[in-house]
Amino acid sequence: MRDTTVQQGPAYETTARIELRDRADTLSDRFAAQSAEDVLAAVIGTHFQGRAGLVSSFGTEAAVLLHMVSRIDPYVPVIFLDTWKHFPETLEYRDRLVNDLGLCNIQTVTPQPSGVQADDPSGDLHARNPDLCCHVRKTLPMLAALRPLSCWITGRKRGQALTRSDMQLFEVQDRWIKVNPLLDWSTADVEAYYDAHDLPPHPLKAQGYLSVGCAPCTRAVQPGEDARAGRWADSEKTECGIHFENGKMVPKSSSQR
Ligand code: SF4
């Protein structure tokens, strides 16, 4: 049988990579005490001017960063990975937020049809090999979308799951710097921001979906579960395919550097 395991890339440290890591560490120290808005403004307007983009799932907490970015520069690229497996509610929410916030540079990126046809002809790869499914539907399109950028902005937070507890404000991922401006935000912080700016909730939130990804891999969470417990709930998988290294998805144990 063909081996479709998504392999981890080789372990190496080039000079360029060490310098990039040093830069991320320096930026993390420098901006440690600053607000998310100030971090974003500095990233977009100074440190990565014209080379930063927001990657958004248009999930339950996405409107915070989308709102901040829209106020700083509505032409910053906003990358949405349309895996062709999203809930219709997520697509509707995306369209509503783009319109309401006046975002002017949405980039909806899809998988290559020939790749999906080759690896997932029956559309159920998520059930048989979710890592490969994420690789085809997320990682490869993501790599293409990031080509012109040096920095990507994420909405990840330390408190979302144990697997994210050691995240840093600025991190290195492959040849990119990744910035997590909402690193230390709590659920209450997010809710307060939604209220303060009258932002609409994701339509599925009221049904218990506290973290929303692709429809086949997301369920509502139960009281007491962490927000991401409903993602890949029936497998060991905890992170989606956009957290990659050397062009390949990395396992949980090494994805949080
Ligand atoms: S989240 Fe599920 S359906 Fe979406 S790309 Fe990954 S495995 Fe496939």
Side-chain angles (χ1 to χ4, degrees), residues 80-84 108-113 116 136-137 140-142:
F80 173 68
L81 297 172
D82 187 349
T83 61
W84 298 329
T108 296
V109 185
T110 68
Q112 257 194 329
V116 171
V136 171
R137 293 179 183 272
L140 296 179
M142 180 76 178

Side-chain angles (χ1 to χ4, degrees), residues 83 85 126 129-131 133-134 137-138 213-214 216-217 232 237:
T83 61
K85 293 286 185 183
H126 58 86
N129 189 340
D131 283 347
C133 186
C134 277
R137 293 179 183 272
K138 290 183 177 176
C214 294
C217 303
W232 305 284
K237 189 171 168 63

Side-chain angles (χ1 to χ4, degrees), residues 183-194:
L183 182 77
D184 290 319
W185 279 45
S186 65
T187 301
D189 294 330
V190 172
E191 288 175 354
Y193 193 94
Y194 267 71

